[in-house]
Amino acid sequence: MIKKLLIIALAIGALFGAKMEISKDATCLIRKVKVYQAPEWAATIQVRSGEIIYFSSPKSMFEFYFEPSRWPEYQVKNDDDMRINVTDYNTLEKIPAKEAYYVYGSQKTSPGGDDLPAFSSKDKAEKFAKKYEGRRVFDFSQVSDGLINLLNDKLR
């Protein structure tokens, strides 16, 4: 009986998407704020050791992604060492970051300021951009370290 209930629960979760799980203790590695306070922005990176690193937004996650050597304790040497997830801004569902679409320049800001709200589809991202005056929609591969520096007002 328990097996059947577990299978049903897993099937329902797969159909409707799983929410990002965030404990009240989870603190953003970059901004040092509690992640659960703004769940629509949450992102995580699971490193090879299995440890999960929490971020208060996609922008903070990208800061780590582009320069993991700044945090040698996580022993990230390349992309294969990271399993990255972001939260769909509208649904709060956990989505693989490399499959998400990000809106640049919208009126919505994260706990870290100007940011890149994430969405599970380009259509959802474009609708959000139109509603909140977003300037552009990017896929994961189009987000650059330069863009993150621009959002942080740290152009090099």
Side-chain angles (χ1 to χ4, degrees):
M1 181 68 176
I2 292 176
K3 264 187 173 178
K4 284 183 182 179
L5 289 175
L6 183 58
I7 291 170
I8 291 170
L10 289 173
I12 290 171
L15 285 175
F16 296 105
K19 301 283 187 212
M20 180 78 75
E21 292 184 29
I22 308 162
S23 77
K24 293 206 186 279
D25 296 335
T27 301
C28 175
L29 176 69
I30 309 295
R31 305 276 180 260
K32 310 298 185 209
V33 297
K34 294 294 184 185
V35 176
Y36 80 92
Q37 293 176 329
E40 67 275 19
W41 293 100
T44 61
I45 293 179
Q46 183 175 8
V47 293
R48 190 170 291 250
S49 69
E51 186 172 0
I52 297 174
I53 307 167
Y54 291 89
F55 301 94
S56 59
S57 71
K59 177 177 72 172
S60 296
M61 175 275 296
F62 277 113
E63 286 180 64
F64 180 90
Y65 176 78
F66 288 123
E67 292 189 70
S69 62
R70 289 177 50 200
W71 297 272
E73 64 271 27
Y74 294 109
Q75 301 176 10
V76 173
K77 306 225 184 311
N78 58 51
D79 283 7
D80 293 338
D81 291 339
M82 297 182 269
R83 185 176 309 144
I84 311 166
N85 290 296
V86 292
T87 302
D88 182 293
Y89 188 89
N90 288 335
T91 66
L92 302 184
E93 291 177 0
K94 177 172 74 172
I95 50 177
K98 291 184 179 182
E99 297 173 16
Y101 293 87
Y102 303 87
V103 177
Y104 165 72
S106 79
Q107 296 171 335
K108 296 289 185 176
T109 57
S110 75
D114 288 339
D115 218 304
L116 301 168
F119 299 89
S120 60
S121 73
K122 189 171 187 178
D123 183 54
K124 287 180 181 181
E126 288 171 343
K127 285 179 182 172
F128 178 92
K130 186 174 183 178
K131 184 174 181 178
Y132 296 104
E133 298 181 18
R135 294 192 192 134
R136 193 153 167 215
V137 172
F138 294 104
D139 67 24
F140 186 89
S141 68
Q142 293 171 312
V143 177
S144 67
D145 191 30
L147 176 62
I148 299 306
N149 286 328
L150 175 67
L151 290 170
N152 282 326
D153 211 18
K154 294 192 307 189
L155 289 178
R156 295 181 196 179

